[in-house]
Amino acid sequence: MALFSYVACPVMYGQEVAPGQQSTDQKTVVESIAELQKQLQSLGSRAKVATLKPSERVEQLTGLLVQAEELSNKAVTEVDQRALVLARVQILLSLVSLKSAGSEEKLEELISGLQAREDKSFYRIARLKCLEVDLLKPGTPLDQTIAKLKDHQKLLDEASFSEKMSVMATIVQLANSALPAQQEAAADLLEGYVADLKTVTDPRAERLLASAEGVLRRLQLPGHEMVLTAEKTITGDSFDWAAYKGKVVLVDFWATWCGPCVAEFPRMTKFYETYHPHGFEIVGISVDSNRKALDQFLEKKPLRWTIVHDYQEGAGSPNARYYSINSIPRMILIGRNFEVISINARGQALEELLKKEFPGVEPPVEKEPESEAVTDKSSDKP
């Protein structure tokens, strides 16, 4: 049985306590839940996964499950009960992934019990947690993700924003990381959820909506003009984005502390030297928070193209935020008609795109750097 089709289970209500005792007892429960969540988060970290044997993880998860079940008998408030339902589901899903004996049956029992309750919200949050985990399985093709969401449309429609907020954030995350061949489908998927988010009055939806709209703007850039705002370059000259129309332009979001960004510069320099005389420009958008560090970097390693320092105290990079660019380097290639050609113009892909844009120009001979391997695993965030 697929995890996302599991049905969720009953949560135990705590025994009645005297009014004078409730605050002390409840404080203990709240603190215990917080500690349980902390341990669960730690156990799911990459470091723990890498260092613990599967049998050791099963043992620790089983211990946390016992704690969660005991706390469920003491939890009084609905908030605590919901937190414990999610914790128990998350633990059981982890045990299922580790093929722990009896974990699937326990998960089904838990969800079935929740389904039998009069308050269906606990059942929904458990089912939605299963869906969220299933959506995040590595290597799942986007068409399968879309199919799973369609299978769960009724559940999503019935759920409140609070109940499905985490699933919606997961959908934005998946669209954000879609491979080039999947980006059109990702945009189509995300468009519907952006429309739904605009109808939500919950204040927590605002940040998610801003992120989703940014990702959607970026995914829909190919074939459209890119918005880029800045007043001056780092040299103090006025920056006129419209003046680049008629050129082939590479917009590079980068930072001095981003190793993969810096590793791209030798290749970019060769491209610039080869194609600049024929109408190729590069606009580097530095998202560094420290202007002094940027100036020092460029003093040691001068770059020949235009650099804009795009950072506002407390707000980060306005241009990166507008397109929800949260991983760098991000290179976007724009054609002479000022329409975006590619939002993934990096490395070999950039080389091939430039060959098409400048067919009569002899491309540079490229030697791969020996010590600085370029990787897409950068966790650097503007």
Side-chain angles (χ1 to χ4, degrees):
M1 179 187 297
L3 293 182
F4 55 82
S5 64
Y6 286 141
V7 213
C9 106
V11 179
M12 307 284 290
Y13 281 95
Q15 296 179 346
E16 249 187 302
V17 293
Q21 296 177 322
Q22 184 166 333
S23 60
T24 303
D25 292 346
Q26 190 58 24
K27 182 180 179 182
T28 303
V29 171
V30 171
E31 290 176 344
S32 298
I33 292 173
E35 181 60 29
L36 173 70
Q37 291 170 330
K38 184 178 179 181
Q39 291 180 49
L40 185 55
Q41 184 178 11
S42 173
L43 196 54
S45 66
R46 290 183 180 180
K48 288 288 186 180
V49 172
T51 56
L52 290 177
K53 296 178 181 178
S55 59
E56 293 173 327
R57 290 187 65 210
V58 167
E59 182 180 357
Q60 292 192 27
L61 284 165
T62 302
L64 292 179
L65 181 60
V66 171
Q67 290 181 42
E69 289 170 344
E70 290 176 349
L71 284 169
S72 294
N73 293 323
K74 300 176 183 178
V76 175
T77 71
E78 188 173 300
V79 171
D80 291 343
Q81 292 165 15
R82 288 178 186 275
L84 288 165
V85 165
L86 288 173
R88 291 165 71 187
V89 170
Q90 187 174 342
I91 293 167
L92 284 167
L93 286 169
S94 297
L95 288 169
V96 169
S97 70
L98 291 166
K99 296 180 169 55
S100 174
S103 55
E104 287 194 26
E105 291 77 9
K106 286 182 180 179
L107 181 58
E108 289 177 342
E109 181 184 353
L110 173 62
I111 297 181
S112 296
L114 290 173
Q115 187 178 24
R117 292 182 56 163
E118 185 176 351
D119 183 352
K120 300 299 182 186
S121 64
F122 289 89
Y123 167 70
R124 288 195 296 269
I125 63 172
R127 285 286 308 281
L128 289 166
K129 173 54 72 173
C130 291
L131 173 61
E132 177 190 344
V133 170
D134 198 48
L135 292 175
L136 287 170
K137 283 182 178 176
T140 303
L142 189 64
D143 58 344
Q144 289 186 22
T145 297
I146 294 171
K148 289 173 184 177
L149 289 169
K150 287 182 178 178
D151 289 342
H152 290 78
Q153 194 58 56
K154 185 174 183 294
L155 175 65
L156 289 164
D157 289 342
E158 292 174 348
S160 66
F161 172 74
S162 180
E163 293 167 352
K164 62 186 176 186
M165 179 170 59
S166 187
V167 170
M168 296 186 82
T170 297
I171 292 167
V172 175
Q173 177 185 340
L174 292 171
N176 183 48
S177 58
L179 296 173
Q182 302 174 327
Q183 286 171 348
E184 186 175 347
D188 292 340
L189 170 65
L190 194 56
E191 200 164 16
Y193 286 94
V194 165
D196 288 344
L197 281 169
K198 287 180 178 179
T199 67
V200 177
T201 56
D202 190 317
R204 294 172 297 176
E206 292 180 9
R207 185 173 180 180
L208 183 56
L209 174 60
S211 176
E213 286 183 318
V215 173
L216 185 59
R217 286 190 198 102
R218 173 160 42 88
L219 292 174
Q220 293 180 331
L221 271 176
H224 298 88
E225 293 190 7
M226 179 180 183
V227 174
L228 200 59
T229 58
E231 293 183 0
K232 294 184 179 297
T233 69
I234 57 162
T235 59
D237 296 327
S238 296
F239 179 76
D240 182 7
W241 177 230
Y244 285 86
K245 192 169 186 177
K247 305 285 186 70
V248 176
V249 187
L250 179 69
V251 178
D252 174 33
F253 288 85
W254 70 287
T256 58
W257 39 259
C258 168
C261 299
V262 177
E264 293 284 352
F265 289 159
R267 184 195 298 261
M268 291 169 63
T269 298
K270 288 183 179 180
F271 291 152
Y272 188 80
E273 290 171 348
T274 300
Y275 297 112
H276 178 64
H278 306 281
F280 176 57
E281 298 287 349
I282 299 177
V283 176
I285 307 296
S286 164
V287 300
D288 285 276
S289 60
N290 189 329
R291 174 59 191 264
K292 184 178 179 180
L294 173 61
D295 290 339
Q296 290 175 342
F297 176 91
L298 293 173
E299 187 177 343
K300 293 178 182 178
K301 299 181 179 181
L303 298 175
R304 298 176 58 184
W305 48 85
T306 299
I307 302 293
V308 170
H309 183 224
D310 188 48
Y311 182 82
Q312 293 179 357
E313 193 66 39
S317 164
N319 287 293
R321 190 172 64 249
Y322 186 71
Y323 289 109
S324 288
I325 294 173
N326 52 24
S327 179
I328 53 176
R330 168 64 66 178
M331 300 184 186
I332 299 172
L333 188 65
I334 298 165
R336 294 177 181 84
N337 60 359
F338 224 37
E339 293 180 358
V340 171
I341 298 171
S342 172
I343 60 173
N344 307 285
R346 181 182 173 195
Q348 187 67 32
L350 174 60
E351 182 175 356
E352 296 303 320
L353 289 167
L354 290 175
K355 286 179 183 178
K356 290 181 181 179
E357 292 300 311
F358 300 96
V361 180
E362 186 69 25
V365 177
E366 180 69 18
K367 287 186 178 180
E368 292 292 336
E370 296 180 2
S371 58
E372 290 188 295
V374 177
T375 173
D376 280 326
K377 295 182 179 179
S378 171
S379 60
D380 299 321
K381 296 183 179 181

